């Protein structure tokens, strides 16, 4: 059965405003690593490591495409355009296929759903008339673009084994050339090519990776171990010759491009060079084409999309975004979003990531800081921000300190009097996992595999550290929080549970300090599991713990060092008539609280949950199957509490969702309505933000008739634009009144509504 889905292709992402409408999504992917290019009329499509964008050549504007704009998947592999049919074909790494026709996305999922033993992949797209020939790991699949269905599958075999097809070409005489894992095979399109006996080996049995055959030229690229060989077989044959380093060949408008790792060779016959292209931008070339205007476009995994005119470099194009899609942590602070790209292997070996942090401001401008910007510090895991000062936690090189993103100093063993100690087996490695400011502007942090893992830099620049009387071998830490009582809570990684430390506000005197490790034992924490991955304090002072077996909540954290019961409680919910503990079968990777004290919970395999403030009611559940979410593996979440944008870091990159909750204020007169005026073609929600926390809000017409009433979620309320009869409100001016918790009613705004 042919499975198809039609979806309208939405507005290009580049024209979204900074504040997307409530309930809408926005992607923040990295587009640096380009690896494939295709031309469509006045557009150049560029496929990157996890994204797709196109350049409008007429004005050099950039438009991004993703699941948010209607695509079916996230990991785009290749794209081609049939100018004859005006159809664009997109293939994905999971073998799904999209066709874009008449501004609609038509999904063809047959290959994705097909059960195949071994590796399943679509390696290339070749267009001929109404057909797209998809070179696959299991043969050659013919896709009828007009009928929007799979027409046939050709299988090529050698000694009973199915050969992988890397590329194909179709000559005007109806010969089909298939570049396979064991040589170039030729078949006649007029014969029955789904019969393996109708394919003939052309010459060498080496791995053929590219083939070109049209009225002008025929050539094939082979790879054998580390060597590359090129054979030109049309219009005249030349011997197979060694072409060291040749990675790929492309042909268009009588120009054959020979693609090497850091350069291109321009020829018209594959042998005699016309020009060589190499400069400081061609670092790791993945693909290149010649467009209809004879310009050369290069996809480079480091430099992005490059344009060459008359064989000379002209310009590069990279949509603004983070430096990479790998995320270790997210932090939203002082109107900036920080993506720390960090890394280690289960708190052990370093990932040695040189890309440190990507910083986004409110206008979607990005600043990317690498290892050298951060004072030669690699593997950045977290950041603490206060008054424009940023302190970064490096899992290798201590704590870089920056003022407004300019390096001031990198703190390590020497300049902290040994407080930032090196791990017990190395004099160079300082593994800091997290940093947090307390209410007195003291900076606290956690350092792994040292005798005194909890440390502090006071506001007077004094350094102190504290022992936990633990063996340093395998003593790894993750997140740190400081609760409303000044107690420090930290995750002991690899199943160590949670520690709580109370310095009793005497940083320079350890004699009155208290320390406790919380476990699964009753009376000693009662954690759901000692494998803890996230920890927060909510707006009511409760401590929420995320483990590999769900969530536990400390409702009375101030009693940890008392004789009273302080154990964590699991939240009992009803599902299908049965009681069970909240997310008890999920690994909870992150928990964040929004302006209404609701809980945004990320999991390793089940996506994102939005729960009521008490955790009992599920409000939303986003997965990659029911939303534009790139992956169900959620790494971290951060929230802009002023506008409700929820940033979700997945294993495949960053995306955000505009929530309906914001921080409340103390003065209702600062409330703001958007959109305002509400136009007749607007169908989204109308938001009133800047309200006092949990205010009661009433909207009336100019005569005082009540149209809508609700309570704010934090500092924001949303209205559908309908009256109490569920009809769209009439044209006119509407008044917004709010009543704060003290019962004071104020008129905070007016709305111009057009039906």
């Amino acid at each position: 059965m042919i499975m198809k889905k039609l979806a309208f292709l939405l507005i290009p992402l580049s024209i979204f405003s900074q504040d997307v409408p409530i309930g809408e999504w926005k992607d923040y992917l990295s587009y640096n690593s380009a690896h494939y290019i295709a031309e469509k009329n006045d557009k150049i499509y560029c496929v990157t490591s996890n994204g797709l964008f196109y350049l409008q050549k007429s004005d050099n504007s950039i438009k991004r495409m993703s699941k948010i704009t209607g695509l079916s998947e996230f990991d785009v592999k290749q794209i081609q355009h049939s100018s004859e049919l005006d159809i664009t074909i997109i293939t994905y790494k999971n073998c799904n296929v999209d066709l874009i026709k008449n501004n609609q996305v038509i999904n063809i999922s047959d290959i994705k759903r097909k059960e195949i033993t071994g590796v399943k992949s679509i390696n290339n797209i070749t267009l001929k008339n109404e057909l797209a020939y998809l070179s696959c790991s299991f043969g050659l699949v013919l896709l009828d673009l007009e009928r929007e269905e799979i027409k046939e599958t050709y299988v090529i075999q050698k000694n009973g084994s199915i050969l992988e097809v890397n590329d194909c070409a179709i000559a005007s005489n109806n010969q089909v050339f298939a570049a396979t894992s064991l040589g170039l095979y030729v078949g006649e399109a007029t014969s029955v090519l789904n019969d393996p006996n109708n394919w003939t080996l052309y010459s060498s049995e080496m791995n053929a990776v590219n083939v070109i055959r049209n009225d002008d030229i025929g050539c094939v690229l082979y790879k054998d171990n580390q060597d590359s060989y090129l054979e030109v077989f049309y219009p005249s044959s030349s011997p197979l010759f060694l072409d060291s380093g040749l990675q790929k060949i492309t042909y268009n408008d009588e120009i054959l491009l020979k693609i090497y790792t850091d350069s291109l060779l321009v020829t018209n016959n594959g042998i005699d060079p016309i020009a060589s292209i190499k400069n400081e931008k061609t670092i790791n070339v993945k693909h290149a084409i010649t467009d209809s205007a004879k310009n050369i476009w290069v996809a480079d995994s480091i430099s992005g999309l490059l344009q060459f005119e008359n064989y000379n470099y002209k310009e590069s194009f990279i949509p603004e975004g983070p430096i990479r899609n790998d995320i270790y942590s997210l932090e939203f602070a002082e109107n900036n979003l920080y993506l720390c790209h960090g890394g280690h292997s289960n708190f052990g070996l370093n990932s040695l990531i040189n890309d440190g942090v990507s910083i986004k401001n409110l206008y979607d401008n990005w600043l990317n800081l690498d290892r050298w910007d951060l004072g030669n510090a690699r593997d950045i895991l977290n950041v603490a921000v206060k008054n424009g000062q940023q302190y970064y936690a490096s899992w290798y090189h201590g704590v870089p300190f920056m003022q407004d993103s300019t390096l001031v100093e990198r703190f390590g063993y020497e300049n902290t009097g040994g407080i930032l100690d090196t791990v017990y087996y190395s004099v160079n490695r300082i593994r800091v996992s997290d940093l947090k400011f307390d209410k007195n502007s003291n900076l606290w942090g956690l350092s792994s595999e040292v005798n005194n893992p909890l440390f502090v830099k006071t506001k007077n620049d004094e350094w102190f550290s504290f022992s936990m009387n633990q063996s340093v071998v395998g003593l790894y830490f993750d997140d740190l929080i400081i609760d409303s009582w000044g107690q420090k809570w930290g995750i002991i990684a690899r199943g160590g549970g949670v520690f709580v430390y109370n310095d009793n506000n005497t940083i320079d005197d350890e004699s009155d300090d208290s320390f406790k490790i919380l476990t699964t034992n009753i009376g000693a924490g009662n954690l759901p599991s000692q494998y803890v991955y996230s920890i927060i304090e909510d707006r009511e002072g409760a401590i929420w713990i995320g483990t590999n077996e769900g969530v536990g909540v400390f409702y009375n954290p101030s009693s940890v060092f008392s004789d009273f019961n302080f154990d964590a409680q699991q939240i009992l919910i009803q599902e299908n008539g049965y009681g069970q503990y909240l997310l008890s079968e999920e690994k909870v990777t992150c928990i964040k609280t929004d302006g209404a004290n609701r809980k945004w919970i990320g999991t390793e395999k089940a996506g994102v949950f939005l729960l009521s403030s008490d955790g009992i009611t599920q409000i939303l559940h986003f997965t990659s199957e029911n939303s534009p979410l790139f992956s169900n593996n959620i790494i971290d979440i951060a929230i802009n509490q002023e506008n409700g944008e929820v940033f979700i870091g997945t294993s495949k990159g960053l995306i955000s969702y505009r929530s309906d909750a914001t921080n409340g204020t103390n003065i209702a007169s600062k409330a703001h309505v958007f959109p305002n005026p509400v136009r007749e073609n607007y169908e989204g929600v109308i938001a009133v933000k800047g309200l006092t926390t949990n205010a009661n809000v009433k909207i009336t017409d100019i005569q005082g008739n009540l149209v809508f009433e609700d309570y704010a979620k934090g500092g924001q309320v949303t209205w559908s634009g309908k009256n109490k009869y569920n009809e769209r409100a009439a044209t006119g001016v509407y008044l917004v009144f709010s009543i704060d918790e003290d019962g004071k009613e104020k008129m905070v705004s007016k709305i111009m509504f057009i039906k």
Side-chain angles (χ1 to χ4, degrees):
M1 180 185 294
I2 303 300
M3 299 295 293
K4 295 186 288 186
K5 178 187 72 178
L6 273 67
F8 286 102
L9 191 65
L10 305 182
I11 304 171
L13 290 177
S14 62
I15 68 172
F16 280 1
S17 63
Q18 273 67 46
D19 274 357
V20 297
I22 291 173
E24 296 293 336
W25 296 81
K26 187 174 182 180
D27 96 67
Y28 296 100
L29 291 173
S30 171
Y31 292 87
N32 290 14
S33 183
H35 65 251
Y36 197 83
I37 307 170
E39 182 183 21
K40 174 190 174 181
N41 303 330
D42 191 38
K43 297 181 176 67
I44 296 293
Y45 286 101
C46 183
V47 178
T48 67
S49 58
N50 279 327
L52 171 66
F53 71 90
Y54 66 83
L55 174 76
Q56 194 77 40
K57 289 192 287 184
S58 58
D59 59 6
N60 282 351
S61 62
I62 291 175
K63 308 286 191 299
R64 294 174 290 163
M65 301 173 67
S66 75
K67 287 179 70 176
I68 298 174
T69 65
L71 299 186
S72 299
E73 299 283 352
F74 170 73
D75 285 320
V76 176
K77 186 170 184 178
Q78 285 191 352
I79 185 169
Q80 288 288 1
H81 180 73
S82 169
S83 55
E84 181 181 350
L85 302 176
D86 195 22
I87 298 173
T88 301
I89 304 95
I90 298 174
T91 62
Y92 299 92
K93 293 178 184 177
N94 66 357
C95 293
N96 212 348
V97 178
D98 277 347
L99 305 181
I100 302 179
K101 300 173 64 174
N102 301 319
N103 209 34
Q104 288 183 325
V105 176
I106 298 129
N107 179 238
I108 301 175
S109 61
D110 299 61
I111 303 176
K112 174 185 174 182
R113 294 182 292 107
K114 184 177 178 66
E115 294 290 339
I116 292 177
T117 302
V119 176
K120 183 172 66 171
S121 64
I122 300 176
N123 299 323
N124 221 326
I125 308 169
T126 303
L127 302 178
K128 184 69 173 179
N129 300 326
E130 78 283 1
L131 296 177
Y133 290 73
L134 305 180
S135 300
C136 300
S137 56
F138 55 88
L140 198 58
V141 176
L142 276 62
L143 171 60
D144 191 315
L145 300 177
E146 292 183 323
R147 296 172 64 90
E148 302 163 12
E149 63 184 21
I150 301 296
K151 181 178 180 180
E152 276 188 281
T153 298
Y154 299 155
V155 176
I156 305 172
Q157 295 184 3
K158 173 74 173 180
N159 297 328
S161 297
I162 296 175
L163 302 184
E164 178 171 8
V165 180
N166 298 310
D167 192 11
C168 83
I170 299 91
S172 57
N173 62 1
N174 288 324
Q175 281 187 313
V176 180
F177 294 80
T180 80
S181 52
L182 285 178
L184 180 67
Y185 279 77
V186 185
E188 298 290 339
T190 54
S191 63
V192 184
L193 290 182
N194 54 12
D195 182 351
N197 295 314
N198 289 330
W199 291 91
T200 303
L201 178 66
Y202 180 78
S203 58
S204 170
E205 290 190 359
M206 286 189 296
N207 181 31
V209 294
N210 272 152
V211 59
I212 293 169
R213 176 66 172 93
N214 55 33
D215 292 340
D216 302 317
I217 191 171
C219 57
V220 57
L221 170 63
Y222 296 99
K223 286 192 177 181
D224 181 23
N225 296 324
Q226 299 300 316
D227 293 325
S228 300
Y229 300 85
L230 188 65
E231 181 179 11
V232 178
F233 58 83
Y234 182 82
S236 60
S237 296
S238 65
L240 185 74
F241 66 92
L242 178 68
D243 202 334
S244 296
L246 183 60
Q247 302 296 315
K248 192 171 292 187
I249 53 176
T250 63
Y251 186 87
N252 191 43
D253 285 345
E254 301 180 349
I255 297 295
L256 187 141
L257 297 179
K258 301 171 71 174
I259 301 168
Y260 301 85
T261 300
D262 61 352
S263 61
L264 304 175
L265 195 63
V266 184
T267 79
N268 56 16
N269 59 10
I271 300 173
D272 302 315
I274 297 173
S276 177
I277 293 176
K278 181 178 181 179
N279 74 351
E280 68 278 0
K281 290 285 190 178
T282 54
I283 302 170
N284 193 15
V285 179
K286 295 297 184 181
H287 193 234
I289 64 168
T290 305
D291 71 9
S292 55
K294 303 287 187 182
N295 293 314
I296 293 175
W297 296 86
V298 174
D300 189 280
S301 67
I302 306 297
S303 303
L305 176 64
L306 312 176
Q307 181 186 11
F308 290 81
E309 193 174 83
N310 297 321
Y311 312 130
N312 296 312
Y313 171 72
K314 182 180 180 182
E315 201 168 353
S316 64
F317 302 91
I318 303 176
E320 275 214 76
I323 196 169
R324 65 190 296 154
N325 288 317
D326 300 300
I327 298 169
Y328 185 88
S329 71
L330 298 174
E331 185 73 28
F332 191 89
E334 297 185 355
N335 292 325
N336 289 321
L337 177 70
Y338 295 82
L339 283 72
C340 295
H341 299 296
H344 51 61
S345 177
N346 192 22
F347 299 90
L349 294 175
N350 286 79
S351 298
L352 302 178
I353 294 175
N354 292 326
D355 298 324
V357 61
S358 299
I359 307 170
K360 186 193 84 70
N361 67 15
L362 292 179
Y363 303 100
D364 287 353
N365 302 128
W366 288 86
L367 174 66
N368 296 313
L369 304 176
D370 61 21
R371 165 187 178 181
W372 296 274
D373 297 320
L374 293 159
N376 197 29
R378 288 182 289 190
D379 291 333
I380 303 300
L381 303 190
N382 277 292
V383 62
V385 182
K386 196 173 188 67
N387 298 327
Q389 296 182 339
Q390 304 114 30
Y391 293 83
Y392 292 96
S394 166
W395 190 249
Y396 205 120
H397 297 111
V399 180
F401 163 43
M402 308 189 80
Q403 176 73 49
D404 297 323
S405 300
T406 299
L407 181 69
V408 177
E409 189 173 6
R410 177 164 66 84
F411 292 112
Y413 183 86
E414 298 294 338
N415 56 359
T416 63
I419 296 300
L420 273 182
D421 201 358
T422 58
V423 298
Y424 68 94
Y425 56 85
S426 171
V427 296
N428 299 314
R429 199 166 300 179
I430 301 176
R431 289 179 157 171
V432 180
S433 66
D434 201 6
L435 299 163
K436 289 290 188 300
F437 280 104
D438 66 19
K439 61 184 178 182
N440 296 316
S441 299
N442 302 308
L443 179 69
W444 294 81
L446 287 173
S447 186
S448 293
E449 297 184 294
V450 295
N451 288 313
N452 294 353
L454 181 66
F455 64 86
V456 62
K457 173 187 172 294
T458 71
K459 61 182 178 182
N460 298 320
D461 293 330
E462 299 174 296
W463 290 81
F464 299 92
S465 62
F466 308 89
S467 172
M468 296 184 187
N469 299 317
Q470 302 289 304
S471 170
V472 300
V473 179
L475 184 61
Y476 299 110
F477 294 93
D478 196 357
D479 290 351
L480 170 72
I481 68 167
I482 303 172
D483 69 17
S484 300
W485 300 85
Q487 298 174 132
K488 288 73 187 174
W489 298 65
I491 297 173
I492 306 174
R494 291 187 175 181
V498 172
F499 77 82
V500 187
Y501 198 100
N502 190 351
D503 65 292
N504 286 300
N505 296 317
T506 55
I507 291 175
D508 57 351
D509 181 8
E510 286 190 65
S511 63
D512 62 348
D513 291 1
S514 302
F515 167 71
K516 182 175 288 188
I517 291 181
L518 308 182
T519 67
T520 55
N521 294 330
I522 296 175
N526 194 32
L527 299 174
S529 167
Q530 288 190 195
Y531 285 86
V532 179
Y533 297 94
S534 51
I535 181 170
I536 63 151
E537 181 184 31
D538 74 7
R539 291 173 178 264
E540 295 177 351
I543 304 295
W544 289 61
I545 305 283
T547 77
N548 65 333
E549 296 182 21
V551 174
V553 185
F554 291 91
Y555 293 103
N556 195 17
S558 62
S559 298
V560 170
F561 297 105
S562 73
D563 294 329
F564 298 103
N565 177 32
F566 69 89
D567 276 351
Q569 305 295 314
Q570 290 182 265
I571 298 170
L572 188 64
I573 61 172
Q574 293 291 321
E575 186 168 329
N576 299 323
Y578 296 94
Q580 66 179 44
Y581 289 127
L582 175 66
L583 300 175
S584 59
E585 297 182 358
E586 302 295 341
K587 178 179 175 181
V588 175
T589 55
C590 52
I591 308 173
K592 292 296 165 66
T593 302
D594 67 16
N597 202 32
R598 303 179 303 181
K599 309 305 183 294
W600 289 84
I601 296 181
T603 66
E604 184 180 57
K605 296 180 179 179
V608 177
F609 295 83
L610 173 60
L611 306 177
S612 58
S613 60
D614 58 10
I616 294 176
T617 304
Q618 177 179 301
I619 300 168
L620 295 171
H621 180 203
F622 295 127
T623 67
S624 59
E625 291 76 28
N626 67 13
S627 76
L629 202 63
F630 302 139
S631 166
N632 288 330
N633 183 4
I634 309 303
I635 307 300
D636 202 5
I637 293 173
I639 303 176
N640 179 349
Q641 303 287 7
E642 296 303 313
N643 70 358
E645 187 171 11
V646 179
F647 300 95
I648 303 170
T650 78
S651 59
K652 294 183 177 180
L654 179 67
I655 193 169
S656 77
Y657 174 82
R658 183 71 184 279
S659 169
D660 58 355
T662 65
N663 273 349
T665 68
N666 295 322
I667 306 173
S669 60
K670 293 183 178 180
H672 173 63
V673 179
F674 63 100
N676 196 8
V678 180
R679 301 291 182 183
E680 61 274 15
N681 57 351
Y682 180 74
E683 296 181 355
V685 298
I686 299 103
V688 183
K689 70 175 183 178
L691 301 166
T692 56
T693 303
N694 302 326
N696 175 249
V697 178
K698 298 177 181 178
I699 298 178
T700 73
D701 61 22
I702 202 70
Q703 287 80 31
N705 299 309
L706 182 66
V707 175
F708 170 81
E709 182 176 10
D710 199 359
Y711 285 91
K713 295 178 177 65
Q716 181 170 269
V717 73
T718 58
W719 174 40
S720 65
K722 296 181 179 180
N723 59 28
K724 58 185 179 181
Y725 303 109
N726 201 34
E727 300 169 339
R728 185 173 174 87
T731 298
V733 175
Y734 292 83
L735 307 179
V736 182
F737 298 90
S738 76
I739 305 173
D740 60 23
E741 293 181 339
D742 295 328
K744 297 179 180 178
E745 186 175 48
K746 296 182 179 179
M747 195 275 282
V748 296
S749 192
K750 296 179 181 179
I751 305 173
M752 180 60 198
F753 194 93
I754 303 171
K755 185 175 182 180

